[in-house]
Amino acid sequence: AKLLYRLCTSHPHSTLIQILALRGEPRLARSTSKRRLVDSLEDGMDENQVHELWARLRANPEMASTLQAYERLVSAYVELSQVPVSKDARIGAELPLEKTLQIYRLRDFASLPIVTSINSATTIAAVSPWFKVVGGINVPKIIDVTGSDGRIYRQLVKGHDDLRQVIKLILSLGCGDGASLCAGAQDAPM
């Protein structure tokens, strides 16, 4: 836990999303895939230890605002993953984001780097007002986020699935090495 704490404080933009995934989003049911992920950590860290790590990070005054921003960001992605889509919507259809969604106000997270960018200096500038339907049981969605560098970064938003299946989908969508960096959208100018 000491090593993870040091990693989170030294490299928050490379670690906090993963720790939040292990910690879980309160609105989501406890999933088998999350349990397997927690159980598979090399140091045997269990869910309680993940929560303790987060509490320790939150107690660090230098980390408080960053943690809060990441919690809001992840909550926005989770909210979008749960947006119902009409059964009549065809795969590839572009649907408008409701203005009430947190993700619509993603530019409020301008201090955070884009999670699909390798460069942690690239921050969120805007989000496209629509999403694309990918297709599947849990209706994955694709959004385009404009970075502070003017490039568009494609992001897959998917909930309630085994993380191994998500990696397969990311790869099938041409997202490089499975680290959720989508090569096709990354190089597109604004």
Side-chain angles (χ1 to χ4, degrees), residues 139-154:
V139 194
K141 300 156 185 81
I142 293 177
I143 61 170
D144 289 337
V145 177
T146 304
S148 57
D149 60 0
R151 293 183 178 183
I152 296 176
Y153 295 84
R154 186 153 290 157

Side-chain angles (χ1 to χ4, degrees), residues 2 11 17 22 25 28 31 51 55 57 62 70 83 88 93 98 104 109 115 120 123 132 134 145-146 150 157 169 180:
K2 289 179 184 178
H11 307 285
I17 291 284
L22 291 173
E25 165 68 25
L28 294 179
S31 70
H51 284 281
L57 289 166
E62 294 174 5
Y70 269 107
V83 167
D88 298 333
E98 292 182 27
Y104 193 81
F109 300 104
V115 296
S120 64
T123 59
K132 286 184 182 178
V134 178
V145 177
T146 304
V157 180
L169 180 60
S180 57

Side-chain angles (χ1 to χ4, degrees), residues 5-76:
Y5 180 82
R6 285 198 323 253
L7 282 170
C8 289
T9 55
S10 301
H11 307 285
H13 303 303
S14 300
T15 55
L16 293 180
I17 291 284
Q18 290 79 5
I19 299 300
L20 272 169
L22 291 173
R23 194 185 113 206
E25 165 68 25
R27 291 184 291 171
L28 294 179
R30 184 176 169 87
S31 70
T32 305
S33 64
K34 187 178 97 174
R35 217 171 304 132
R36 275 196 300 258
L37 181 60
V38 171
D39 292 344
S40 70
L41 287 174
E42 271 186 43
D43 63 0
M45 193 172 202
D46 64 24
E47 193 169 356
N48 289 332
Q49 289 171 313
V50 173
H51 284 281
E52 288 171 15
L53 171 62
W54 197 261
R56 214 171 133 213
L57 289 166
R58 188 175 275 290
N60 180 338
E62 294 174 5
M63 295 292 297
S65 64
T66 302
L67 294 176
Q68 184 178 20
Y70 269 107
E71 286 172 331
R72 289 180 52 226
L73 179 66
V74 168
S75 179

Side-chain angles (χ1 to χ4, degrees), residues 116-142:
T116 52
S117 171
I118 292 175
N119 181 356
S120 64
T122 304
T123 59
I124 297 167
V127 64
S128 175
W130 51 264
F131 64 90
K132 286 184 182 178
V133 177
V134 178
I137 294 173
N138 293 317
V139 194
K141 300 156 185 81
I142 293 177

